[in-house]
């Protein structure tokens, strides 16, 4: 029987060639991840052959893409060929073009692989190949994502990734018979704009209550243990300034400073692209912020010292206070059982029951430790082969567990030099010795491994950055379903929520709380964004925790209600306005109190329009005639009207009065010393002070009722234009010796 030849169309050969060329190009021409090494169960893998590619972000976060199906944190089933080559080529190509500190864009690769593997089994194929992808597979992947237990956001992210892969395959002309496919999974609805009860509850829960935040302050006051002091101090840092948990790691021993005027501030490095921000500490929190900062410096000192030693003394193990070797002990001499345990911070001695504590029990489960000791002794598993069922004496000799007779075996343990290599591998991050733009040993959140662990002893020669999970656990954050709850600092201190339940906060809630307080205080969005370290002012919306009632400008008054009734509803406001008509409109003070536009006519100006509120009063300048010639200097402008009884106006004017008095007094002294130009400052400041005093006098006049518009008399605000056109105005000014008037008042 003759061989059967299958004809392959030319266009299919060309498509296959495109695909093969892409794999060859990515594998042999691109170099990203070429120097990466990964220790798998089958041995050390390098570069292209790695089943996992990892990299660190600028903020110290480790990201990993697994070319396989992950079963747990450390277990996975690698992709079969040739799909594995496609996945690696796709990742290397995309990261070479546009390097991203994210892995979500590649999250669909495992879903594609599983669908192709299922199809291969059904069709009797052993290989899993992206070139076998069909429209049926695409539809099945969509259905699997849809029916998965993922959140709406998770489905959307995988859908976006899958859309990117399908589009890439078609654009690079690997396959032309695939349908157009776009992500059908919508963006998660924004609960901030939804009005249902669930969304409203979700938004309200983001912002902690004042009671909860006061409990954080109480925890800081009651803190006794290092763990309580450390994490409550971090909470204080988050409470006094709106910052993210990851930004805490950028705080250094030099971050807290005082300005020339004595104000305390912290320098933060925003996590989302903003420039370094000088954030002022609220005056009321300065003492507690200083105390928290000092606590963090003290607690982090040993870890910072260890990191600095590692940099300044390469290849030398730091002999710490727990080490039991002599001072002249050589770095390359093997340690004994007990010496090794003390150097590594392993427990030895007797337990509470009187039994011998052996670190071998749990130490053999530490992969790097088991491998190191096995290599030193020339075996594959030192615990099974050298001391199975036996006991190790302090001098390294192995004896029978019961008879205590020597087995004739002695175990060789690592030297200090060996341990230094381990320290390098375990704790030296990619950017060492730097963390961003600062030295690692200057970071005040640095701690040693197991610093606050209740079971394991800390490792003296180690240094780690505090992770998000540790801070969340300390604040009582809810853990994923099935995971054991970790005791928080509130649990330790018996601090509960207002209803007596367990107090639970997350690291982002203080940021929500501070932003909400600023919004309630009427602070401007640009200032909130700057204080929060945001690159985009639009991000403020996500942190606005005000309730719908608080946000509503229709049901809340903006200003101060003159009759002191407090908050007004629409019905109450209408009742308040009922005495007024179009012929007899409400006065300006009433319109202001109700948060309504203040008309020019209500201020006594015979012109249509609305006055602009300045903070002290209202600007009534006619911009149709000319721009503002006072450059916003409203307090001493005759086109500015104050209202008697307007909240804070009188207090602000008196503050200005004191300021001008101080400046005038200084100018008078300088003029007496014949300092050039000082006499002009005396005239100018005296003129301004006289205007402020005039307004204050008129506002304090008991014969003027609340709501009376008050403005500077024309005589005290000469117009250069009018003076040039009206000779009569020039004769008015000399009748006032304004400087003398101001100086006389100061003397009194």
């Amino acid at each position: 029987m003759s061989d059967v030849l299958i004809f392959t169309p030319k266009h299919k050969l060309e498509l296959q060639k495109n695909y093969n060329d892409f794999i060859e190009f990515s594998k042999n021409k691109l170099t990203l991840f070429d120097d990466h090494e990964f220790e798998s169960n089958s041995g050390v893998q390098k570069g292209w052959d790695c089943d996992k590619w990892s990299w660190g972000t600028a903020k110290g976060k480790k990201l990993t893409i697994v070319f396989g199906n992950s079963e747990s944190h450390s277990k996975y089933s690698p992709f079969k060929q040739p799909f594995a080559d496609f996945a690696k080529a796709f990742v290397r190509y995309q990261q070479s073009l546009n390097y991203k500190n994210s892995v979500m864009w590649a999250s669909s690769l495992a879903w594609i692989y599983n669908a192709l593997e299922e199809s291969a089994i059904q069709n009797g194929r052993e290989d899993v190949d992206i070139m076998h992808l069909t429209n049926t597979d695409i539809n099945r992947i969509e259905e699997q994502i849809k029916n998965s237990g993922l959140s709406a956001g998770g489905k959307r992210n995988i859908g976006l990734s899958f859309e990117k892969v399908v589009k890439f395959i078609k654009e690079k002309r690997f396959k032309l018979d695939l349908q157009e496919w776009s992500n059908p999974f919508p963006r998660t609805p924004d609960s901030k704009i939804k009005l249902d009860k669930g969304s409203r509850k979700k938004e309200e829960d983001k912002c902690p209550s004042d009671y909860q935040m006061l409990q954080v302050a109480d925890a800081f006051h009651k803190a006794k243990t290092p763990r309580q002091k450390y994490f409550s101090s971090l909470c204080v840092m988050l409470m006094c300034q709106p910052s993210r948990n990851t930004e805490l790691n950028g705080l250094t021993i030099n971050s807290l400073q005082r300005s020339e005027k004595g104000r305390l501030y912290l320098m933060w490095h925003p996590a989302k692209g903003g420039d370094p921000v000088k954030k002022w500490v609220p005056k009321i929190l300065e003492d507690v912020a200083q105390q928290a900062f000092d606590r963090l410096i003290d607690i982090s000192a040993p870890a910072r010292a260890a990191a600095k030693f590692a940099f300044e003394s390469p290849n030398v193990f730091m002999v710490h206070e727990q080490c039991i070797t002599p001072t002249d002990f050589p770095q390359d001499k093997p340690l004994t059982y007990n010496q090794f345990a003390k150097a590594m911070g392993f427990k030895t001695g007797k337990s509470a029951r009187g039994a011998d504590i052996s670190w071998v029990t749990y130490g053999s489960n530490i992969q790097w430790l088991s491998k190191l000791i096995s290599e030193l002794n020339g075996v594959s598993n030192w615990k099974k082969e050298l001391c199975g069922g036996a006991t190790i004496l302090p001098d390294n000799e192995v004896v029978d567990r019961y008879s205590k007779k020597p087995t004739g075996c002695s175990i060789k343990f690592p030297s200090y030099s060996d341990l230094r290599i381990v320290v390098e591998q375990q704790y030296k991050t990619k950017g060492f010795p730097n963390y961003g733009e600062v030295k690692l040993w200057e970071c005040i959140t640095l701690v040693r491994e197991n610093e606050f662990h209740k079971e394991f002893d800390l490792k003296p020669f180690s240094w780690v950055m505090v992770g998000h999970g540790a801070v969340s656990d300390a604040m009582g954050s809810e853990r994923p379903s099935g995971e054991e709850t970790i005791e928080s600092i509130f649990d330790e201190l018996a601090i509960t929520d207002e209803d007596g339940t367990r107090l639970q906060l997350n690291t982002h809630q203080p940021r929500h709380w501070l932003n909400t307080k600023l919004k309630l205080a009427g602070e401007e969005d640009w200032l909130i964004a700057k204080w929060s370290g945001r690159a985009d002012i639009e991000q403020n919306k996500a942190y606005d925790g005000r309730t719908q009632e608080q946000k509503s400008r229709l049901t809340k008054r903006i200003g101060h209600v003159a009759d002191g009734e407090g908050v007004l509803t629409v019905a109450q406001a209408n009742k308040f306005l009922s005495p007024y008509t179009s012929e007899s409109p409400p006065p300006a003070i009433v319109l202001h109190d109700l948060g309504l536009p203040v008309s020019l006519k209500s201020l006594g100006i015979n012109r249509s329009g609305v006055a602009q509120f300045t903070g002290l009063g209202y600007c009534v300048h006619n911009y149709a005639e000319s721009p503002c010639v006072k450059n916003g200097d409203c307090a001493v402008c005759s086109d500015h009207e104050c209202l008697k009884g307007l909240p804070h106006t009188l207090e602000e004017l008196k503050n200005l009065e004191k300021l001008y008095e101080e400046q005038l007094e200084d100018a008078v002294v300088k003029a007496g010393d014949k300092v050039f130009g000082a006499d002009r400052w005396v005239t100018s400041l005296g003129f301004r002070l006289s205007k402020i005093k005039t307004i204050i006098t008129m506002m304090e006049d008991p014969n003027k009722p609340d709501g009376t518009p008050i403005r500077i008399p024309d005589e005290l605000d000469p117009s250069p234009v009018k003076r040039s056109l009206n000779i009569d105005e020039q004769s008015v000014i000399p009748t006032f010796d304004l400087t003398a008037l101001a100086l006389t008042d100061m003397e009194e």
Side-chain angles (χ1 to χ4, degrees):
M1 182 177 178
S2 60
D3 294 335
V4 177
L5 299 178
I6 304 298
F7 173 74
T8 304
K10 184 178 180 181
H11 77 276
K12 284 193 174 182
L13 295 175
E14 291 176 349
L15 296 178
Q16 185 67 47
K17 183 177 184 302
N18 287 341
Y19 172 75
N20 294 338
D21 289 345
F22 167 69
I23 299 297
E24 194 277 334
F25 172 78
S26 298
K27 182 176 181 178
N28 300 318
K29 302 295 183 182
L30 300 179
T31 59
L32 190 63
F33 300 118
D34 249 1
D35 58 349
H36 186 71
E37 290 190 3
F38 169 65
E39 188 172 339
S40 68
N41 294 330
S42 58
V44 177
Q45 300 174 343
K46 294 184 178 181
W48 183 267
D49 296 325
C50 287
D51 292 335
K52 295 182 182 180
W53 282 343
S54 301
W55 68 95
T57 67
K59 297 298 180 181
K61 184 178 181 181
K62 184 180 180 181
L63 299 175
T64 301
I65 288 181
V66 181
F67 299 108
N69 281 315
S70 296
E71 300 170 18
S72 65
H73 180 69
S74 57
K75 293 183 179 180
Y76 67 95
S77 301
F79 291 150
K80 295 179 181 178
Q81 291 292 5
F83 185 86
D85 278 346
F86 167 75
K88 294 175 183 178
F90 179 73
V91 170
R92 176 178 278 186
Y93 183 80
Q94 295 293 338
Q95 283 291 81
S96 297
L97 285 179
N98 184 17
Y99 199 84
K100 295 181 180 179
N101 282 327
S102 166
V103 295
M104 289 308 300
W105 59 271
S107 58
S108 65
L109 290 174
W111 293 76
I112 300 171
Y113 174 83
N114 291 335
L116 291 174
E117 185 179 39
E118 181 183 336
S119 177
I121 294 173
Q122 292 174 353
N123 290 281
R125 294 192 302 266
E126 293 186 0
D127 62 334
V128 180
D129 193 344
I130 193 68
M131 295 297 284
H132 293 150
L133 184 68
T134 65
N135 291 329
T136 302
D137 296 323
I138 291 176
N139 294 332
R140 185 164 59 252
I141 293 170
E142 178 181 335
E143 192 67 22
Q144 289 173 345
I145 298 173
K146 180 180 178 181
N147 295 330
S148 70
L150 296 171
S151 65
K155 292 177 182 178
R156 173 177 167 78
N157 288 332
I158 295 174
L160 289 172
S161 172
F162 185 40
E163 180 181 352
K164 188 181 184 75
V165 174
V166 173
K167 185 176 181 181
F168 181 83
I169 292 172
K170 296 185 68 175
E171 283 183 347
K172 300 305 177 185
R173 299 182 67 81
F174 303 157
K175 289 181 71 67
L176 299 180
D177 57 349
L178 298 180
Q179 64 191 32
E180 293 292 333
W181 192 87
S182 58
N183 182 23
F185 304 106
R187 184 184 298 273
T188 307
D190 188 359
S191 59
K192 300 190 74 63
I193 62 175
K194 296 180 70 178
L195 302 178
D196 60 281
K197 274 188 178 179
S199 297
R200 298 275 51 84
K201 179 71 166 57
K202 182 178 179 181
E203 285 302 307
E204 290 175 10
D205 288 346
K206 286 182 180 179
C207 184
S209 67
D210 290 347
Y211 178 88
Q212 290 173 325
M213 298 309 291
L214 287 174
Q215 298 320 294
V216 175
D218 194 34
F220 179 79
H221 174 70
K222 293 179 178 178
K224 295 291 186 291
T225 66
R227 179 176 186 254
Q228 293 165 3
K229 290 182 177 180
Y230 178 81
F231 287 109
S232 64
S233 296
L234 294 184
C235 289
V236 167
M237 293 289 123
L238 296 175
M239 277 183 68
C240 70
Q241 295 172 334
S243 301
R244 302 174 185 86
N245 171 51
T246 53
E247 294 169 354
L248 289 170
N249 287 332
L251 292 177
T252 71
I253 54 176
N254 301 313
S255 289
L256 187 64
Q257 301 180 24
R258 284 195 181 274
S259 67
E260 293 180 358
K261 295 184 178 180
R263 285 291 308 279
L264 208 62
Y265 66 89
L266 277 163
M267 289 300 298
W268 293 82
H269 294 271
K272 288 195 175 181
D275 295 327
V277 179
K278 178 191 290 185
K279 294 187 181 180
W280 299 101
V281 177
K283 202 74 176 175
I284 196 172
L285 290 176
E286 283 194 351
D287 290 341
V288 71
Q290 182 71 64
Q291 187 180 349
F293 193 79
D294 293 341
R295 282 185 183 180
L296 291 172
I297 288 179
D298 291 341
I299 294 173
S300 65
R304 291 188 288 106
K308 190 172 184 180
F309 181 92
F311 175 72
E312 295 179 344
S313 305
N315 305 320
V316 178
F317 184 85
M318 185 181 76
V319 180
H320 47 80
E321 66 276 3
Q322 294 185 26
C323 290
I324 57 176
T325 53
T327 54
D328 58 348
F329 193 86
Q331 286 275 321
D332 57 354
K333 182 179 179 180
L335 298 167
T336 65
Y337 172 84
N338 277 348
Q339 290 171 342
F340 174 73
K342 293 297 184 182
M344 293 305 297
F346 292 146
K347 289 182 179 179
T348 57
K350 300 287 184 179
S351 67
R353 298 179 179 179
D356 290 329
I357 297 176
S358 174
W359 58 264
V360 174
T361 304
Y362 61 86
S364 59
N365 296 325
I366 303 175
Q367 190 174 3
W368 67 262
L369 177 59
S370 180
K371 180 181 178 182
L372 176 62
I373 299 178
S374 296
E375 288 179 351
L376 288 172
N377 290 275
V379 295
S380 58
N381 189 319
W382 71 279
K383 185 182 178 183
K384 289 182 178 179
E385 297 178 45
L386 301 180
C387 64
T391 300
I392 307 174
L393 297 179
D395 61 357
N396 296 10
E397 187 177 12
V398 180
V399 298
D400 185 86
R401 180 181 300 177
Y402 304 104
S403 67
K404 303 302 181 183
K405 292 183 178 180
T407 62
C409 177
S410 180
I411 297 177
K412 182 180 180 181
F413 287 103
S415 64
Y416 281 139
S417 296
D418 295 325
L419 295 183
R420 173 56 196 251
I421 296 173
V422 172
V423 169
E424 298 270 336
Q425 296 171 344
Q426 294 289 316
Y427 307 113
K428 270 197 173 182
T429 53
K430 184 178 180 180
F432 187 86
N434 297 320
Y435 180 79
E437 299 179 357
V438 298
K439 297 300 181 186
L440 191 65
W441 51 81
E442 293 180 353
C443 299
I444 61 173
T445 59
L446 205 66
V447 291
R448 296 167 294 183
E449 187 174 353
N450 299 335
E451 186 85 52
F452 311 114
H453 206 287
K454 293 185 177 181
E455 296 181 14
F456 302 144
D457 284 355
L458 63 84
K459 299 188 183 305
F461 191 23
S462 65
W463 59 93
V464 293
M465 280 293 189
V466 60
H468 171 76
V471 184
S472 296
D473 288 338
M475 295 179 70
S477 294
E478 188 174 354
R479 286 194 145 211
S481 178
E483 289 192 20
E484 183 182 357
T485 300
I486 302 295
E487 191 176 33
S488 70
I489 59 174
F490 306 122
D491 297 331
E492 293 176 353
L493 295 167
I495 294 175
T496 62
D497 210 334
E498 196 166 5
D499 58 359
T501 59
R502 185 172 185 262
L503 181 57
Q504 292 181 295
L505 296 172
N506 62 53
T507 59
H508 231 45
Q509 283 186 294
R511 187 171 172 86
H512 280 275
W513 183 70
L514 285 171
N515 276 255
T516 301
K517 290 298 182 186
L518 288 172
K519 292 293 289 185
L520 287 171
E523 197 53 78
E524 295 185 59
D525 274 339
W526 70 267
L527 191 58
I528 295 175
K530 184 175 178 62
W531 199 42
S532 302
R534 298 191 181 106
D536 184 358
I537 196 172
E538 289 297 317
Q539 294 171 1
N540 283 350
K541 295 178 182 178
Y543 296 89
D544 185 356
R546 292 175 297 168
T547 63
Q548 288 301 108
E549 185 181 2
Q550 290 170 332
K551 289 179 180 179
S552 176
R553 294 174 61 93
L554 295 176
T555 59
K556 296 285 185 178
R557 56 165 295 170
I558 298 174
H560 171 75
V561 177
D563 64 0
E565 290 184 0
V567 175
L568 294 182
T569 64
V570 171
Q572 290 171 326
N574 287 336
K575 183 178 179 181
F576 197 55
L577 291 171
S578 60
Y580 305 105
T581 64
S582 57
E583 289 77 18
S584 178
I589 191 71
V590 173
L591 295 172
H592 172 85
D593 287 342
L594 297 176
L596 299 173
V598 175
S599 66
L600 291 171
K601 289 185 178 180
S602 70
L603 294 168
I605 306 298
N606 189 21
R607 192 170 72 244
S608 297
V610 175
Q612 179 180 348
F613 185 60
T614 65
L616 290 174
Y618 288 90
C619 174
V620 297
H621 179 69
N622 187 357
Y623 287 89
E625 289 183 355
S626 69
C628 174
V629 296
K630 296 296 178 66
N631 296 317
D633 195 8
C634 303
V636 292
C637 176
S638 61
D639 276 345
H640 182 266
E641 291 199 2
C642 297
L643 293 179
K644 184 180 178 182
L646 201 65
H648 311 304
T649 297
L650 189 58
E651 291 86 344
E652 289 298 323
L653 288 171
K654 288 186 175 182
N655 288 336
L656 283 173
E657 181 186 27
K658 291 179 182 179
L659 176 64
Y660 285 136
E661 284 177 346
E662 292 173 1
Q663 292 179 339
L664 178 58
E665 186 176 354
D666 184 62
V668 170
V669 173
K670 294 286 186 8
D673 294 338
K674 300 191 181 304
V675 174
F676 178 74
D679 56 335
R680 300 194 176 204
W681 277 109
V682 172
T683 302
S684 174
L685 290 169
F687 195 25
R688 298 173 70 85
L689 184 57
S690 67
K691 295 181 180 182
I692 298 295
K693 286 181 174 292
T694 300
I695 300 173
I696 292 174
T697 301
M698 295 170 72
M699 292 194 71
E700 291 182 332
D701 185 353
N703 297 320
K704 294 186 186 321
D706 282 350
T708 302
I710 295 172
R711 62 191 298 180
I712 296 172
D714 290 339
E715 293 86 350
L716 297 185
D717 193 53
S719 166
V721 176
K722 290 181 179 179
R723 290 180 63 184
S724 64
L725 298 177
N726 184 357
I727 191 67
D728 292 334
E729 187 176 80
Q730 296 183 22
S731 64
V732 175
I733 304 304
T735 63
F736 292 88
D737 190 349
L738 300 175
T739 302
L741 176 64
L743 292 174
T744 303
D745 286 348
M746 287 176 59
E747 291 172 2
E748 293 177 357

